[in-house]
Amino acid sequence: MKGWQFTKTHEPLKLVEKENPKAEKVHVVIKTGAVGLCHSDVGTMEDEGWMSLMNAPVIMAHENAGIIIEVGEGVTDFKEEDRVAICPTGPSGLAHGYAYDGGFGHRCRHDFLPCTLQQRQGGKGHENCTDRHWRALP
């Protein structure tokens, strides 16, 4: 797959070719259909303060949607060909587009783990979490 990879602050994104991601346990792979450009994506490009969240080099973008093309073991509520939007927040330092490749690629792997009650009740980045980081689209 091709994707736009972040390497470090003050450097342009690089178009890279990588192996297609695989759906590991409790993960799915989506074919990217839409991606948002977040202030954190832009901030990371210009402000070293964001580097503590990044696992560079990484394909950025955590606000994305698409079609599930592969389902890993343990995913029961979604199937291949489902259209989904991904919750852009996640545990600090563990979110897609930061800790592992995100939506600025043709395909991306996402976890299907639920937010815990503790995360929803005050965990940084979980203020708007629902039970799952996924939402089906019509």
Side-chain angles (χ1 to χ4, degrees), residues 1 15 24 28 36 45 51 56 60 63 66 76 78-79 82-85 89 97 114 131:
M1 72 160 201
L15 183 59
E24 300 169 0
V28 299
M45 300 294 296
M51 288 302 295
M60 296 172 78
E63 297 178 350
T76 58
F78 290 92
K79 63 188 182 317
D82 281 350
R83 294 166 28 110
V84 293
T89 60
D131 290 336

Side-chain angles (χ1 to χ4, degrees), residues 53-67:
L53 297 175
M54 304 300 288
N55 184 23
V58 66
I59 295 175
M60 296 172 78
H62 60 273
E63 297 178 350
N64 52 317
I67 298 172

Side-chain angles (χ1 to χ4, degrees), residues 26-106:
V26 299
H27 284 75
V28 299
V29 175
I30 71 165
K31 180 178 178 184
T32 303
V35 180
L37 180 62
C38 182
H39 77 284
S40 63
D41 299 323
V42 176
T44 302
M45 300 294 296
E46 298 297 326
D47 180 357
E48 293 86 0
W50 289 91
M51 288 302 295
S52 64
L53 297 175
M54 304 300 288
N55 184 23
V58 66
I59 295 175
M60 296 172 78
H62 60 273
E63 297 178 350
N64 52 317
I67 298 172
I68 295 176
I69 58 172
E70 187 180 342
V71 177
E73 178 187 340
V75 177
T76 58
D77 297 340
F78 290 92
K79 63 188 182 317
E80 289 183 13
E81 299 186 20
D82 281 350
R83 294 166 28 110
V84 293
I86 296 93
C87 176
T89 60
S92 186
L94 299 176
H96 60 281
Y98 292 98
Y100 59 94
D101 291 338
F104 288 160
H106 293 137

Side-chain angles (χ1 to χ4, degrees), residues 7-23:
T7 55
K8 67 182 199 175
T9 303
H10 305 297
E11 294 289 329
L13 298 178
K14 295 179 182 176
L15 183 59
V16 297
E17 184 94 28
K18 297 179 89 171
E19 185 175 322
N20 284 334
K22 304 286 186 222

